[in-house]
Every structure is written in structure tokens, then in C-alpha cells.
Amino acid sequence: MTQPNLGTALITGASSGIGAIYADRLARRGHDLILVARNRERLNALARRLSDETGRNVEVVVADLADKADLVRIENILHKDASITTLVNNAGVGATQNLLESDVDELEDLLTLNVNVLMRLTHAAAPGFVARGAGTIINIASIVAIAPEILNGVYGGSKAFVLAFSQSLRKELHDLNVRIQVVLPGATATDFWATAGTPVEHLPSAIVMQADAMVDAALTGLDQGEFVTIPALPDITELEAYEAARQKLMPNLSLSVPADRYTS
Ligand code: NAP
């Protein structure tokens, strides 16, 4: 059966792991693809397989998103290509060592990719989505956005940025028909862990999800209209209670006088 044409999805970090699974699933759903990462061979192999298997148009753009000129090339694609309906901000790196044992230049590179690049690509994509009255931005955060004590705090802070930015974007773009989903995976079996210094085999298998199961759950969450998706969380009412507590705080966070406990 011919798939519907859902427009083009631009996926960053599509050469491996979670991004490559998004590419597979979005092509099968009826998206054409623009795959972005540094590893040309992996991108080309994935593009060939997906276009053979799905008949979709799959374009490869080799780019180091930490390089400003390369990043601007991707921003220009997002500005100009009106067929783009979906942006998956997935490219990211982690850190598993404590702050005091970490190389500060590597942490700065992490912030560039996980924070600045995601912000700039969103800023590039959103105006077109607003002008066309439709679009979806999927931001890949992490459970460490709300549990930063688990891993390196700079990585956790970068993912807390992704969550906070997504919360704000959702409010700003909701009435303009632009959907935001923020995905908070737990440990997922990809190269991420080896790249960050702790191979995934060193983690207890009970906390590690396979990447295809993680992405399939996240896309089901998207279909269900979720804003925050935590693929592993068994009981959604726990997340709802957490969000309700946050909402309850909001009207009282900025008042003209200090709280009694600070003045009596
Ligand atoms: P991965 O397999 O290592 O994939 C990372 C992707 O980012 C690769 O495609 C890599 O491609 C790309 N990338 C890295 N640096 C780049 C750069 N400078 N420019 C362009 N692309 C770059 O890891 P993953 O687990 O799939 O990670 C994807 C996302 O999931 C990340 O944002 C990560 O923080 C998040 N996440 C992962 C886990 C986990 O446990 N795996 C849990 C929560 C969240 P090239 O090397 O070809 O450039």
C-alpha cells in the first residue's frame, strides 16, 4: 500500500542509535527524510536502505553541528525547504564522569551540541512551521533533565535546558499549530555510552532499553498527543502529579513581598 506523504523530517544525529531508528520509523510512516550527522558512510548506508525499503526520498547532509559554518548550512535548509514538517533534535553527547574528573573543554563541546545547536535549529525551523500553520518538533532530552544526580551534572543541566526550552516553546507555539514533544529516555542501548566513557554493557540490564523499543514508545506517545514522554515510566499518574505540583507553584513564585518564614 502506498504510504501517505507526511512531508520531510529532518533528523539530527541520524547516523546511529536513536536517530537512525527515528529515520527508519518516520520513513515507514510516510516521511521523506533529511539525515544529518558527521559520518558519511553510515548516513549513506542508512539512506540507501531506507529509500530501497520504503520508496521515500532520503537525502544525506554531512555536517559537524559543532562547526558554525556547517550548522548555518542546516539552518538554511530549515529556513528554505518548505517541505519540512518535522524536526527531530536528536544529536547529542553525554558525559558519565563526575565534574571534577571531567575535561572542561569536552563539557563545553557537550553544551554546544546539546544546548546551542538544538536552540539554533529550533529557532531556524519554527518560523516556517508557524507560517505554514503546521509542524512538529521532537526534542530528545533525557531522564537526567529531572534526575540530574544520576550522571554528570553538565549533561543533566543540558537536558534540563531541553526540557525547560520545550515547556516554554510549547506555550509560545501551541496556538500557532506547532507541536512540541520532549522525550526523556532512560538508559538506551546505543553508542552513546561508549562515546561518553562507560560502555552500556557496564550498566545493569534491568535499566537499559533497546533503542527501537524506546523510539517506538516515544512515537506512540506522540500519536497520543503527549508533550512529555518518558518511555520507561510505568505509572503516568506519577508524572501528572509532578507536573501538577509544578503548576501549583507557578502563581506564587514571584510576589511583591518575601515569604513570612524569611521575615518573622
Ligand atoms: P549515539 O548513537 O552516540 O548517537 C549520537 C548521534 O549524534 C550520532 O548520530 C552522531 O553522529 C551525532 N553527533 C554527535 N556529534 C555530532 C556533531 N558534532 N554533529 C553532528 N552530529 C553529531 O547516541 P544516542 O543514544 O542515539 O543519542 C541520541 C540522543 O539521545 C542524544 O541527544 C542523547 O543525549 C539522547 N539520550 C540518549 C540516551 C542513551 O542512554 N543512549 C538516554 C537519554 C537520552 P556522527 O558521529 O556521525 O556525527
Side-chain angles (χ1 to χ4, degrees):
M1 198 177 78
T2 318
Q3 292 289 342
N5 188 345
L6 301 177
T8 301
L10 188 148
I11 305 168
T12 67
S15 63
S16 66
I18 292 166
I21 307 281
Y22 266 103
D24 180 279
R25 300 308 195 258
L26 292 179
R28 290 179 201 287
R29 284 177 170 223
H31 284 275
D32 292 332
L33 301 176
I34 300 174
L35 306 179
V36 179
R38 294 168 301 184
N39 189 315
R40 183 185 302 274
E41 291 72 31
R42 279 183 167 198
L43 288 173
N44 282 339
L46 179 64
R48 262 195 308 275
R49 177 173 72 77
L50 291 182
S51 61
D52 286 352
E53 289 178 8
T54 68
R56 305 304 327 179
N57 186 35
V58 185
E59 191 185 330
V60 161
V61 183
V62 176
D64 178 353
L65 293 168
D67 176 274
K68 195 62 177 286
D70 279 9
L71 176 59
V72 168
R73 271 198 296 130
I74 308 304
E75 289 176 6
N76 285 337
I77 292 170
L78 289 164
H79 284 137
K80 291 185 186 144
D81 185 344
S83 77
I84 297 175
T85 56
T86 301
L87 169 63
V88 184
N89 273 317
N90 165 75
V93 287
T96 54
Q97 291 189 313
N98 292 331
L99 179 73
L100 299 186
E101 293 148 12
S102 301
D103 179 316
V104 76
D105 292 323
E106 286 179 13
L107 294 178
E108 189 176 1
D109 291 346
L110 179 158
L111 288 174
T112 298
L113 185 64
N114 294 11
V115 173
N116 292 352
V117 165
L118 182 141
M119 178 279 291
R120 289 193 63 116
L121 295 182
T122 301
H123 189 269
F129 290 171
V130 169
R132 298 191 286 279
T136 300
I137 299 173
I138 299 171
N139 288 333
I140 306 301
S142 162
I143 55 150
V144 297
I146 57 173
E149 296 89 343
I150 292 177
L151 278 181
N152 177 289
V154 176
Y155 178 61
S158 77
K159 294 303 186 177
F161 170 87
V162 176
L163 176 59
F165 183 52
S166 301
Q167 285 164 329
S168 168
L169 271 180
R170 179 198 193 204
K171 179 166 185 290
E172 184 174 336
L173 301 181
H174 182 265
D175 293 339
L176 300 168
N177 264 341
V178 180
R179 274 204 66 186
I180 310 292
Q181 183 197 27
V182 58
V183 180
L184 276 60
T188 308
T190 70
D191 296 345
F192 168 93
W193 289 94
T195 307
T198 306
V200 72
E201 295 74 22
H202 293 203
L203 303 181
S205 61
I207 67 159
V208 179
M209 195 177 289
Q210 295 305 304
D212 51 359
M214 198 292 286
V215 172
D216 287 336
L219 285 169
T220 301
L222 182 74
D223 294 341
Q224 291 174 352
E226 277 189 354
F227 165 57
V228 176
T229 296
I230 304 181
L233 186 71
D235 183 356
I236 192 66
T237 66
E238 293 178 357
L239 179 62
E240 289 165 354
Y242 180 81
E243 176 61 12
R246 195 179 74 86
Q247 293 289 341
K248 187 161 180 275
L249 284 172
M250 255 194 251
N252 295 319
L253 293 172
S254 180
L255 299 172
S256 60
V257 292
D260 285 350
R261 67 183 176 283
Y262 301 123
T263 55
S264 48

